[in-house]
C-alpha cells in the first residue's frame, strides 16, 4: 500500500499509508487480548459447566451442589462409591433440598418432603420425583449434565 | 523496515508476482456484485475464525450442548462477543448471498462465458444456507429443536430427494439427539470444507474468464482491495455492535418430551416457504400442496441451473420473471416477520 | 438362455419355500380367560362351612335376567348400573342386599317372607352394608387392604346418629357410594373419589334450604375453593386436602378429637411442632381455643403474610390490641416477614433484569433459590414467636440476598469493562475505516487525474 505509482503528495500519501498500517496493527493487537482470554481456561468458570472436581476429593456418603447450566444439581456419592445426581430444587415449592446421610435420603427443609436415593418423592408434599441428572467421571473429574 | 519485511516475504512466497497480476487485472468500476462477493468471502473467513474459537468449548452432545453454550456466553470471557459475532454474521451471510445471486440474475450475468461462475454460485447458495441451517440447530435450544423439525419437514416434502434429504438432516426418521450430531458434523466439517473449495473455484472461474470486463474499470490492487478493506471494516463494526448491544438470545434447553402448542416457525430464510405452505389450500392440481409447492420450487431451481443454456442471450424476460420471483419471496418473508 | 431359466426356477423354489414355511409354523396361543375363574373356585372351596353359609347366595342371575330386559327405564337402569360395579366384579349378587328368593325366575322372587326389601331405609342401610363390610375375614377375601371400621365410625357420626333416629335426609352408605353402580373409591368414576367428593358433600352442605332444619352453615365449599387448599387442589396437587382430607369420610369428626385442628399436622408437622414451643400453645389451651384455627381459619385458609402485625385485619390485633409486649412482638415479626419478602422480590427482579440484558448469572439464580428456601423456613419459624431466632434467620437470608446482588453487580462490572474495551476497539476500527476510505478516494482522484 505504500509503494504505489510515484506521484505527487508523497508525504500525504505516505502518512495515510502509515496511518492505515498503524491502525490496522493496533486493531490486530486489540483482537489478540479477547481471543487469548477466551481460550485460557479458568478454574471456576468456563464452559465446563457441571464440573465438580477430582473424584478422589469427593468423599463417600457426602453430597455437593453444582450448577449445571442454569439449574442447581445435588450430587451424592453413595457408600459404594457410585454417584447420583438430581435437580436440587424440590418439586413442591422449589426450596433447595439436601442429602441426609444418616437416613440415606434427600430431604427438603421447607415442609419435610422426602425423596429416596432414586429421586422418588416418598413422603411429604412433593408431588413429583426429582429430575435426574447424569454423572460421568472423565479423566478422574466428576462431571454432571442434564438428562 | 516494513519494506524490508515485505521484500523478505515476497522473495519467498512469490507474492510480488501475484500483486503484479492483481495490479494488471481490471475489475468493473462500481460493480456491486464484486463488492458483495468480497464481503461474502470476508464474512466466511470471520465465521471460520469465530467458529473455530467456539468449537473448542462447545460440547456437541444433546445433554451438554445448551449448557456449554450457556457457559460460553455467561462465563467465558468475551464468549458472548465471539458467539454474538458468529450468530449475527451468519444472518448477514445469508442475506448477502441472496442479494449477490439476485443482482447477478437481474443483470443476466449467467450467460457465456460465466456458466461455471453461475453454477458454482448456485452451489454456494445451497451450502451457505446449509451452513446457516445446521448452525442454528447446534445450540439445541427448544427453539432450535422445533425449527429443525419444521424445516426438515418442509424439505422432506420435496420431490425425489426430499425424503432422503430429510433423513440425512435429521439423522433418522424423527428429530432426535442424532440430529444434533449430524448437524455438528455438517456444520463444522463437511460444509466448511465444501464451501472453501467451491469459493476457491468460484473465484478462479471469475478470474480465468477469457472476456475482459466492459465499461470503466479499476485495478484489483490497490483500488479494489482498498475499498474492500474499508467495507469489511465497516461491516465488522456493524456486526460487533450488534453482537454487543443486540444479542441473539439462547432460549431454553430443548425438551423433547414437551407437547408443542402454537405455531412453530422456521428460520427467517425459510419463512417464505412456510408462509406459502400455510396459505395454500390442501390440494393443488391434484397433489398435496406441500409436495406441489416444493416440487414447483425444485423446478424453479432446475430452471436456474439450466439458465445459461435456456437463455443464451440473457433476455429481459428472465430479468422480469426473476424480479417478480425475488419480490414475491421478499414480500412473503416480510409478511411473515410482521 | 439356459442360465436365465435356471435362475427363474431357483427363484420360484425359494418363493415356495418362503411362503410354505411360516404357514407350517407353531400353533396359536392357548385360549385365555380360563385361569382367573379357576382361582376363584379354589378360594371358595378353601373357606370353612360356616363361612360359606354366611356368604349370600350367588344368585343364579334370575334378577338380572328379568331386569335387564324390562322396558321401564327406572327398573332397567339398576341392572345396567350394577353391571359396572365392583360388587358385580366380585360376584356379590342382588340378593346380598335385597334378599328375596333369587332362584324363582318370576316376579315371585320379590318374596317378602324371604326378606325381600325394594328400597332399604336409611336406618336399615348401614346394617345391610355392614353385614359384609364389618367382617374382616369376609372382606379380606376380596380386598385385603379394605378397612372394616366404616360402619362403626358412621354410627358414631352425626350423619349416622340422625339416620338411625329415622331422618331420611341424612346420608347413608348409598348416598355417597351409590347403590348399584358402586365403584372403589380410587376409581376416577366413583362418586366418592377424592376428585369428586367435594361435589358430593356440597350437594347437601351447600344447600341453604336443606341445611336450614339443622342450622348448619353452607358456605364451606365456597370458602374452601378460595383457600390455598382449594386452589392447590384445583391445580391438580395430589396431596391438597379436600373435604375428606380433614373430615373423616365416615365419622365427620374423628372420635376423641374436638376440632379439625388436630389434623393440620398431618401435613404441617413442622409448624405444629414449632407452635407447641410458643407461648400461644399454652394460652390457647387455657382459653379452650383450637390450635391453628384462630389465626388461620379453617375452610378459608389463606396466604399467611397478612396475618402478622397490628393492622386491623391481622390476626394478632384480634386479641392483642391493648397488650404492650405482644403488640411489639407482632410488629417486629411483621417487619421481619415484610423485609424478607421485599428482599426476595428485589433479588428476583434483579436476576430477571440481568438475564434480559444478556447477562447469564446462574450462581445468582441459585442464590435466589436459597433465599426462597430461607424465606419459607422463616415463615414456619414464625410459629415459635421467638424474635431472636427470627432475626438471626432473617439476617442469614439477607446475606444470601446480598450474595446474589454481588454476583449480578460483578457480572455488570465485567461487562462494563468489556464495553470499554469494545469502544476502544470500535473507535480504532472506525478510524481505520475512515482512513481506508480516504485512501481509496485519493487513489481514485489520482487515477482520474493521470488519465487523459
Amino acid at each position: 500500500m505504500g509503494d504505489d505509482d510515484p506521484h505527487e503528495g508523497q508525504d500525504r500519501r505516505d502518512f495515510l499509508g502509515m496511518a492505515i498500517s498503524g491502525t490496522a496493527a493496533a486493531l490486530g493487537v486489540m483482537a489478540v487480548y479477547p481471543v487469548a482470554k477466551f481460550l485460557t481456561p479458568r478454574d471456576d468458570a468456563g464452559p465446563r459447566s457441571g464440573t465438580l472436581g477430582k473424584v478422589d476429593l469427593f468423599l463417600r456418603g457426602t453430597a455437593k451442589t453444582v450448577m449445571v447450566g442454569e439449574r442447581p444439581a445435588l450430587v451424592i456419592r453413595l457408600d459404594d462409591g457410585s454417584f447420583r445426581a438430581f435437580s436440587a430444587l424440590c418439586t413442591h415449592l422449589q426450596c433447595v433440598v439436601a442429602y441426609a446421610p444418616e437416613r440415606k435420603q434427600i430431604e427438603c427443609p421447607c415442609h419435610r418432603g422426602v425423596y429416596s436415593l432414586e429421586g422418588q418423592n416418598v413422603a411429604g408434599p412433593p408431588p413429583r420425583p426429582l429430575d435426574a441428572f447424569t454423572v460421568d467421571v472423565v479423566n478422574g473429574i466428576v462431571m454432571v449434565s442434564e438428562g | 523496515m516494513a519494506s524490508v519485511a515485505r521484500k523478505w516475504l515476497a522473495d519467498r512466497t512469490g507474492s510480488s508476482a501475484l500483486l503484479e497480476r492483481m495490479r494488471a487485472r481490471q475489475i468493473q468500476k462500481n460493480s456491486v456484485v464484486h463488492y458483495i462477493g468480497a464481503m461474502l468471502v470476508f464474512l466466511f473467513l470471520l465465521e471460520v475464525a469465530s467458529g473455530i474459537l467456539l468449537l473448542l468449548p462447545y460440547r456437541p452432545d444433546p445433554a451438554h450442548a445448551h449448557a456449554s453454550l450457556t457457559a460460553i456466553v455467561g462465563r467465558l470471557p468475551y464468549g458472548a462477543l465471539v458467539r454474538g459475532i458468529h450468530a449475527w454474521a451468519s444472518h448477514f451471510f445469508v442475506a448477502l448471498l441472496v442479494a449477490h445471486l439476485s443482482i447477478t440474475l437481474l443483470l443476466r450475468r449467467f450467460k457465456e462465458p460465466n456458466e461455471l461462475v453461475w453454477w458454482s454460485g448456485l452451489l454456494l447458495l445451497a451450502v451457505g444456507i446449509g451452513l446457516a441451517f445446521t448452525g442454528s440447530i447446534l445450540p439445541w435450544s427448544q427453539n432450535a429443536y422445533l425449527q429443525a423439525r419444521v424445516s426438515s419437514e418442509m424439505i422432506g416434502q420435496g420431490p425425489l430427494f426430499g425424503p432422503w434429504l430429510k433423513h440425512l438432516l435429521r439423522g433418522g426418521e424423527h428429530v432426535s439427539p442424532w440430529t444434533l450430531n449430524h448437524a455438528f458434523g455438517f456444520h463444522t466439517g463437511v460444509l466448511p470444507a465444501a464451501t472453501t473449495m467451491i469459493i476457491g473455484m468460484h473465484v478462479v472461474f471469475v478470474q480465468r474468464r477469457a472476456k475482459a470486463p466492459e465499461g470503466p474499470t479499476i485495478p484489483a490492487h490497490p483500488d479494489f482491495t482498498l475499498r474492500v478493506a474499508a467495507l469489511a471494516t465497516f461491516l465488522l463494526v456493524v456486526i460487533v455492535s450488534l453482537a454487543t448491544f443486540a444479542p441473539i438470545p439462547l432460549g431454553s434447553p430443548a425438551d423433547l418430551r414437551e407437547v408443542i402448542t402454537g405455531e412453530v416457525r422456521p428460520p427467517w430464510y425459510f419463512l417464505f416457504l412456510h408462509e406459502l405452505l400455510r396459505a395454500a389450500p390442501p390440494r393443488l392440481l391434484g397433489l398435496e400442496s406441500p409436495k406441489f409447492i416444493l416440487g414447483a420450487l425444485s423446478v424453479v431451481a432446475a430452471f436456474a441451473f439450466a439458465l445459461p443454456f435456456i437463455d443464451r442471450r440473457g433476455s429481459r424476460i428472465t430479468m422480469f420473471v426473476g424480479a417478480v420471483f425475488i419480490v414475491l419471496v421478499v414480500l412473503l418473508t416480510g409478511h411473515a416477520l410482521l | 438362455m439356459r442360465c436365465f431359466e435356471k435362475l427363474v426356477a431357483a427363484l420360484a423354489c425359494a418363493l415356495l419355500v418362503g411362503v410354505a414355511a411360516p404357514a407350517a409354523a407353531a400353533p396359536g396361543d392357548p385360549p385365555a380367560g380360563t385361569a382367573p375363574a379357576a382361582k376363584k373356585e379354589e378360594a371358595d372351596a378353601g373357606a370353612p362351612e360356616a363361612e360359606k353359609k354366611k356368604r349370600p347366595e350367588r344368585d343364579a342371575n334370575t334378577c338380572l335376567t328379568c331386569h335387564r330386559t324390562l322396558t321401564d327405564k327406572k327398573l332397567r337402569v339398576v341392572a345396567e348400573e350394577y353391571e359396572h360395579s365392583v360388587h358385580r366384579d366380585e360376584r356379590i349378587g342382588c340378593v346380598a342386599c335385597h334378599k328375596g328368593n333369587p332362584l324363582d325366575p318370576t316376579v315371585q322372587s320379590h318374596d317378602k317372607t324371604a326378606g325381600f326389601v325394594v328400597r332399604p331405609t336409611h336406618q336399615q342401610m348401614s346394617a345391610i352394608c355392614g353385614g359384609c363390610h364389618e367382617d374382616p375375614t369376609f372382606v379380606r377375601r376380596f380386598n385385603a387392604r379394605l378397612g372394616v371400621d366404616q360402619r362403626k365410625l358412621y354410627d358414631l357420626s352425626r350423619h349416622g346418629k340422625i339416620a338411625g333416629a329415622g331422618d331420611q335426609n341424612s346420608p347413608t352408605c348409598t348416598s355417597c357410594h351409590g347403590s348399584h353402580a358402586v365403584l372403589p373409591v380410587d376409581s376416577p368414576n366413583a362418586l366418592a373419589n377424592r376428585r369428586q367428593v367435594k361435589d358430593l358433600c356440597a350437594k347437601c352442605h351447600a344447600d341453604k334450604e336443606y341445611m336450614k332444619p339443622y342450622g348448619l352453615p353452607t358456605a364451606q365449599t365456597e370458602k374452601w375453593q378460595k383457600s390455598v387448599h382449594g386452589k392447590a387442589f384445583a391445580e391438580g396437587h395430589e396431596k391438597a386436602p379436600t373435604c375428606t382430607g380433614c373430615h373423616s369420610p365416615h365419622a365427620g369428626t374423628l372420635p376423641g378429637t374436638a376440632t379439625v385442628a388436630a389434623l393440620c399436622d398431618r401435613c404441617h408437622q413442622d409448624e405444629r411442632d414449632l407452635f407447641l414451643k410458643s407461648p400461644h400453645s399454652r394460652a390457647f389451651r387455657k382459653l379452650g381455643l383450637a390450635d391453628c384455627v384462630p389465626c388461620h381459619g379453617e375452610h378459608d385458609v389463606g396466604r399467611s403474610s397478612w396475618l402478622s402485625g397490628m393492622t386491623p385485619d391481622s390476626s394478632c390485633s384480634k386479641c392483642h390490641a391493648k397488650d404492650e409486649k405482644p403488640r411489639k412482638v407482632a410488629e417486629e415479626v411483621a417487619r421481619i416477614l415484610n423485609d424478607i419478602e421485599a428482599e426476595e422480590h428485589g433479588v428476583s427482579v434483579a436476576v430477571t433484569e440481568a438475564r434480559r440484558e444478556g447477562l447469564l448469572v446462574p450462581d445468582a439464580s441459585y442464590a435466589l433459590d436459597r433465599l426462597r428456601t430461607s424465606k419459607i423456613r422463616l415463615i414456619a419459624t414464625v410459629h415459635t414467636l421467638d424474635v431472636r431466632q427470627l432475626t438471626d434467620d432473617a439476617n442469614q437470608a439477607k446475606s444470601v440476598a446480598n450474595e446474589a446482588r454481588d454476583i449480578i453487580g460483578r457480572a455488570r462490572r465485567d461487562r462494563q469493562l468489556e464495553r470499554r474495551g469494545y469502544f476502544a476497539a470500535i473507535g480504532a476500527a472506525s478510524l481505520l475505516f475512515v482512513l481506508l476510505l480516504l485512501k481509496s478516494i485519493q487513489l481514485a482522484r489520482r487515477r482520474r487525474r493521470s488519465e487523459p
Side-chain angles (χ1 to χ4, degrees):
Chain A
M1 261 178 230
D3 43 0
D4 275 329
D5 334 60
H7 275 281
E8 14 119 336
Q10 183 93 357
D11 290 338
R12 203 178 349 128
R13 189 192 342 119
D14 271 341
F15 169 72
L16 212 46
M18 283 201 306
I20 286 175
S21 313
T23 321
L27 258 177
V29 165
M30 272 197 252
V32 169
Y33 175 71
V35 173
K37 286 231 83 184
F38 182 90
L39 292 172
T40 317
R42 249 166 46 182
D43 278 331
D44 59 325
R48 296 186 291 242
S49 156
T51 313
L52 255 180
K54 290 211 178 61
V55 64
D56 308 313
L57 297 177
F58 201 144
L59 297 172
R60 295 177 188 218
T62 63
K64 296 190 206 233
T65 331
V66 70
M67 294 301 290
V68 177
E70 298 258 314
R71 303 173 65 186
L74 177 71
V75 187
I76 308 170
R77 190 167 195 194
L78 303 174
D79 291 334
D80 65 359
S82 66
F83 288 94
R84 299 282 161 84
F86 303 99
S87 162
L89 297 182
C90 183
T91 54
H92 177 221
L93 291 178
Q94 284 77 54
C95 289
V96 178
V97 300
Y99 177 59
E102 335 64 81
R103 287 178 289 280
K104 300 239 193 308
Q105 59 192 24
I106 300 168
E107 295 172 356
C108 178
C110 286
H111 300 95
R112 294 205 195 165
V114 178
Y115 300 88
S116 70
L117 283 175
E118 276 75 48
Q120 276 294 327
N121 47 323
V122 291
R128 284 183 314 278
L130 291 171
D131 285 340
F133 283 41
T134 318
V135 184
D136 302 299
V137 181
V138 180
N139 292 334
I141 308 277
V142 183
M143 319 223 28
V144 188
S145 54
E146 293 201 42
Chain B
M1 176 65 179
S3 45
V4 167
R6 254 197 287 265
K7 185 158 181 336
W8 189 90
L9 266 178
D11 285 342
R12 282 147 187 78
T13 60
S15 60
S16 49
L18 177 64
L19 276 177
E20 278 311 308
R21 258 230 308 281
M22 283 180 73
R23 269 181 232 278
R25 174 129 180 75
Q26 298 294 320
I27 296 185
Q28 242 180 307
K29 202 172 184 182
N30 299 331
S31 164
V32 178
V33 201
H34 278 87
Y35 288 117
I36 296 185
M39 285 305 98
L40 281 168
V41 173
F42 168 67
L43 281 175
F44 182 66
L45 292 173
L46 188 63
E47 289 290 80
V48 169
S50 55
I52 290 177
L53 283 178
L54 286 173
L55 186 61
L56 300 174
Y58 172 74
R59 295 172 71 179
D61 69 273
H64 305 87
H66 193 267
S68 67
L69 260 181
T70 309
I72 291 173
V73 173
R75 293 178 186 222
L76 214 51
Y78 300 100
L81 182 66
V82 175
R83 188 241 158 195
I85 290 177
H86 199 79
W88 271 110
S90 77
H91 291 304
F92 277 92
F93 187 67
V94 174
L96 285 180
L97 260 177
V98 175
H100 190 76
L101 190 99
S102 307
I103 299 180
T104 314
L105 176 70
L106 294 177
L107 290 175
R108 289 152 284 152
R109 293 263 188 92
F110 48 78
K111 45 188 180 84
E112 66 103 20
N114 293 337
E115 294 95 335
L116 289 180
V117 179
W118 173 250
W119 286 331
S120 55
L122 283 177
L123 276 178
L124 277 174
L125 179 69
V127 293
I129 292 192
L131 272 170
F133 175 61
T134 49
S136 72
I137 299 178
L138 292 184
W140 206 238
S141 61
Q142 183 67 350
N143 200 37
Y145 156 68
L146 290 174
Q147 282 190 338
R149 216 168 72 167
V150 143
S151 306
S152 53
E153 194 65 53
M154 284 196 310
I155 292 172
Q157 300 288 350
L160 289 177
F161 295 114
W164 178 82
L165 259 178
K166 180 170 112 165
H167 253 257
L168 189 67
L169 281 168
R170 287 187 172 185
E173 180 59 36
H174 302 286
V175 176
S176 68
W178 286 112
T179 313
L180 179 63
N181 290 2
H182 270 232
F184 182 70
F186 277 115
H187 187 78
T188 53
V190 177
L191 290 175
T195 314
T196 312
M197 283 198 297
I198 304 178
I199 288 182
M201 295 196 309
H202 189 79
V203 171
V204 163
F205 291 150
V206 168
Q207 302 276 18
R208 295 278 173 91
R209 285 171 303 185
K211 236 164 46 175
E214 312 138 357
T217 62
I218 55 169
H221 182 71
D223 301 58
F224 185 66
T225 39
L226 215 50
R227 291 172 198 201
V228 165
L231 263 178
T233 316
F234 177 69
L235 193 56
L236 187 64
V237 170
V238 168
I239 290 179
V240 174
S241 308
L242 283 169
T244 310
F245 292 113
I248 299 179
L250 261 180
S252 52
D255 182 359
L256 270 64
R257 298 164 303 182
E258 188 183 314
V259 174
I260 312 302
T261 51
E263 193 198 346
V264 179
R265 311 220 298 183
W268 65 268
Y269 35 86
F270 285 151
L271 270 178
F272 75 96
L273 197 55
H274 184 76
E275 280 296 293
L276 218 52
L277 288 170
R278 255 174 17 131
R283 296 190 82 84
L284 280 168
L285 289 187
L287 285 172
E288 284 167 26
S289 55
K291 293 217 194 302
F292 180 82
I293 292 174
L294 265 296
L297 263 178
S298 314
V299 168
V300 168
F303 248 102
F305 256 99
L307 262 179
F309 295 130
I310 298 176
D311 181 9
R312 279 179 203 270
R313 275 171 302 121
S315 74
R316 290 206 150 168
I317 302 174
T318 318
M319 189 174 81
F320 283 128
V321 172
V324 163
F325 191 69
I326 292 165
V327 165
L328 263 175
V329 168
V330 170
L331 279 178
L332 275 170
T333 313
H335 175 260
L337 283 172
L338 297 167
Chain C
M1 275 183 291
R2 281 243 290 276
C3 276
F4 180 65
E5 283 157 24
K6 276 202 204 146
L7 188 62
V8 170
L11 274 172
C13 289
L15 256 171
L16 273 169
V17 171
V19 167
D29 297 339
T34 50
K39 264 181 37 196
K40 230 357 160 336
E41 295 301 334
E42 215 177 82
D44 294 343
E49 273 304 315
E51 293 309 315
K52 271 211 198 127
K53 271 209 200 104
K54 227 170 138 192
R55 192 179 1 107
E57 279 288 350
R58 295 272 182 77
D59 64 287
N61 276 336
T62 57
C63 315
L64 289 176
T65 336
C66 232
H67 275 271
R68 264 195 217 122
T69 58
L70 291 174
T71 43
D72 185 339
K73 183 151 185 244
K74 234 176 30 167
L75 299 174
R76 193 180 64 240
V77 83
V78 297
E80 286 164 2
E81 284 182 352
Y82 172 73
E83 292 291 339
H84 297 294
S85 72
V86 68
H87 287 145
R88 182 206 172 267
D89 293 339
E90 301 292 5
R91 311 217 209 149
I92 309 286
C94 317
V95 134
C97 301
H98 290 286
K99 308 276 185 305
N101 189 353
L103 298 172
D104 188 336
T106 70
V107 80
Q108 291 343 88
S109 59
H110 291 196
D111 191 354
K112 289 235 166 58
T113 59
F116 177 75
V117 50
V118 171
R119 177 182 262 116
T121 62
H122 283 202
Q123 277 158 305
Q124 296 168 309
M125 196 63 79
S126 81
I128 289 176
C129 305
C132 293
H133 279 280
E134 261 188 324
D135 182 355
T137 342
F138 183 70
V139 160
R140 148 182 107 61
R141 228 188 274 149
F142 301 94
N143 183 348
R145 288 179 55 218
L146 196 56
V148 287
D149 60 353
Q150 298 96 329
R151 183 175 179 197
K152 203 165 190 165
L153 288 172
Y154 173 75
D155 286 342
L156 284 172
S157 73
R158 195 152 175 220
H159 284 163
K161 289 209 177 91
I162 58 181
D167 186 343
Q168 293 299 310
N169 280 338
S170 174
T172 174
C173 315
T174 51
S175 319
C176 297
H177 290 284
S179 39
H180 299 102
V182 179
L183 289 169
V185 166
D186 292 339
S187 158
N189 296 323
L191 284 170
N193 175 265
R194 203 183 94 87
R195 285 265 127 205
Q196 263 83 264
V197 86
K198 61 172 164 52
D199 300 318
L200 201 56
C201 305
K203 225 174 19 174
C204 300
H205 281 279
D207 186 339
K208 282 208 179 76
E209 287 304 311
Y210 205 92
M211 286 290 120
K212 214 153 70 181
Y214 307 101
L216 286 173
T218 51
Q220 300 94 315
T221 316
E222 212 184 302
K223 277 205 225 165
W224 171 82
Q225 272 170 337
K226 297 203 193 111
S227 73
V228 283
H229 290 154
K231 292 208 186 108
F233 181 85
E235 285 168 16
H237 204 295
E238 284 290 307
K239 304 244 167 85
T242 173
C243 314
T244 47
C246 299
H247 298 281
S248 156
H250 298 107
T253 314
L254 287 175
T257 62
T259 67
V260 155
L263 291 165
C264 300
D265 70 345
R266 265 178 68 194
C267 302
H268 298 280
Q269 258 176 312
D270 264 343
E271 283 81 351
R272 185 85 196 286
D273 291 345
L274 292 166
F275 174 79
L276 289 173
K277 291 196 203 140
S278 77
H280 276 163
S281 159
R282 256 174 306 130
F284 278 25
R285 204 143 304 165
K286 249 203 291 204
L287 290 168
L289 290 171
D291 274 341
C292 319
V293 177
C295 296
H296 289 286
E298 352 109 0
H299 292 106
D300 53 353
V301 177
R303 286 251 158 257
S304 43
S305 354
W306 53 270
L307 289 175
S308 55
M310 290 309 291
T311 55
D313 44 62
S314 73
S315 292
C316 312
S317 59
K318 275 194 235 163
C319 301
H320 293 296
K322 301 205 171 71
D323 311 323
E324 173 90 33
K325 184 156 179 272
R327 265 205 357 246
K328 284 220 178 69
V329 169
E331 279 164 357
E332 186 63 21
V333 166
R335 194 191 61 80
I336 292 176
L337 284 176
N338 287 333
D339 240 359
I340 265 286
E341 184 87 33
E343 290 272 10
E344 197 215 359
H345 186 252
V347 171
S348 168
V349 163
V351 168
T352 316
E353 253 186 42
R355 234 191 242 129
R356 228 203 328 234
E357 289 171 26
L359 290 168
L360 287 176
V361 279
D363 294 323
S365 84
Y366 179 53
L368 182 61
D369 293 328
R370 278 154 48 219
L371 181 60
R372 190 193 315 120
T373 310
S374 303
K375 179 186 98 159
I376 295 181
R377 302 204 52 201
L378 196 81
I379 292 176
T381 316
V382 163
H383 290 91
T384 60
L385 292 178
D386 182 349
V387 175
R388 212 168 27 120
Q389 179 69 46
L390 287 170
T391 319
D392 280 344
D393 291 344
N395 287 337
Q396 263 191 340
K398 268 201 218 153
S399 70
V400 173
N402 289 336
E403 204 185 299
R405 277 191 274 261
D406 279 342
I407 294 173
I408 295 178
R410 240 180 300 143
R412 283 227 174 83
R413 271 193 305 274
D414 286 342
R415 166 169 286 198
Q416 294 283 54
L417 281 168
E418 275 183 26
R419 292 270 169 97
R420 235 180 283 153
Y422 156 78
F423 281 121
I426 232 47
S430 310
L431 178 63
L432 181 63
F433 169 65
V434 167
L435 290 173
L436 287 168
L437 212 59
L438 286 175
K439 183 85 175 160
S440 316
I441 296 173
Q442 190 190 59
L443 253 179
R445 219 184 293 150
R446 218 184 312 128
R447 293 235 186 272
R448 241 177 303 156
R449 242 178 279 143
S450 72
E451 275 152 35

